[in-house]
Amino acid sequence: MRKLPMHLIAAAALTFGGACATAPKTADEKADLYVDADRTLGAMRARDPGLIELLERSAGYVVFPNIGKGAFVAGGAYGRGILYEDGRRQGFVELNQASIGAQIGAQTFSELIVFTNPLDVSKLKMGDYSLGANVSAVALTTGAAAAVDANTGTFVFIMPKGGVMAELSVSGQKLNFEPAGG
């Protein structure tokens, strides 16, 4: 079995084990994240009106207004978002992603994760939830929400913002939760 180079292991460890706090530090930063998440969700709904029904039937969803991603063989991504249940904000979610493979570039995007299973929302709120490499993201376009089976699974919608990324890689996302009052 081939060993991974130490710099790749270190990059993955830093991505998943970073010392960043889940919630923004100040009240102003929290307020800005709330505004950005609400604005991003509005833009996503405008791009695909089918999201409205999917979100209403969901167990919960997380909106990440800004995720930054960069890679050169090993890669990582980071962003903060808001968890919603029944359309109400529940708390802050931090996304950390590590990847390895043929990849190069940098990009920014918004991400929406929709949970159809209440157990998945509970796992997230307990503070330890991961999306594996088997979950695929759908580019958010008109009709994208209608193409998913809203009764099973977790769905990820991506709305590109900028940058260029070429990749053929395996990655996983780790999500951490902190209640709005915590």
Side-chain angles (χ1 to χ4, degrees), residues 22-97:
T22 298
K25 292 178 184 173
T26 69
D28 285 345
E29 289 173 339
K30 290 176 182 178
D32 288 346
L33 183 55
Y34 284 143
V35 168
D36 288 347
D38 289 343
R39 187 177 298 138
T40 299
L41 189 56
M44 289 177 162
R45 287 177 172 155
R47 188 170 283 189
D48 185 358
L51 276 178
I52 295 169
E53 183 180 340
L54 179 64
L55 296 176
E56 286 174 355
R57 295 187 323 198
S58 74
Y61 52 92
V62 180
V63 178
F64 294 97
N66 295 298
I67 296 177
K69 181 177 183 180
F72 182 76
V73 181
Y78 177 81
R80 283 189 176 138
I82 304 294
L83 170 65
Y84 295 81
E85 286 182 285
D86 298 318
R88 292 187 305 275
R89 300 176 192 134
Q90 300 299 308
F92 302 96
V93 181
E94 177 187 61
L95 176 145
N96 291 288
Q97 176 179 313

Side-chain angles (χ1 to χ4, degrees), residues 168-179:
L168 178 58
S169 62
V170 175
S171 63
Q173 292 184 344
K174 175 144 177 34
L175 305 179
N176 299 308
F177 175 77
E178 183 175 313

Side-chain angles (χ1 to χ4, degrees), residues 55-169:
L55 296 176
E56 286 174 355
R57 295 187 323 198
S58 74
Y61 52 92
V62 180
V63 178
F64 294 97
N66 295 298
I67 296 177
K69 181 177 183 180
F72 182 76
V73 181
Y78 177 81
R80 283 189 176 138
I82 304 294
L83 170 65
Y84 295 81
E85 286 182 285
D86 298 318
R88 292 187 305 275
R89 300 176 192 134
Q90 300 299 308
F92 302 96
V93 181
E94 177 187 61
L95 176 145
N96 291 288
Q97 176 179 313
S99 57
I100 188 165
Q103 55 187 336
I104 188 169
Q107 67 183 142
T108 59
F109 55 93
S110 300
E111 183 170 302
L112 171 66
I113 302 174
V114 181
F115 302 100
T116 61
N117 186 339
L119 182 59
D120 288 332
V121 176
S122 294
K123 286 179 183 178
L124 172 62
K125 289 171 89 174
M126 289 187 312
D128 189 25
Y129 184 85
S130 297
L131 286 172
N134 58 338
V135 175
S136 60
V138 175
L140 190 59
T141 58
T142 301
V148 302
D149 179 0
N151 297 314
T152 60
T154 299
F155 304 97
V156 178
F157 297 92
I158 301 291
M159 190 168 66
K161 294 177 104 175
V164 177
M165 186 93 177
E167 67 180 310
L168 178 58
S169 62

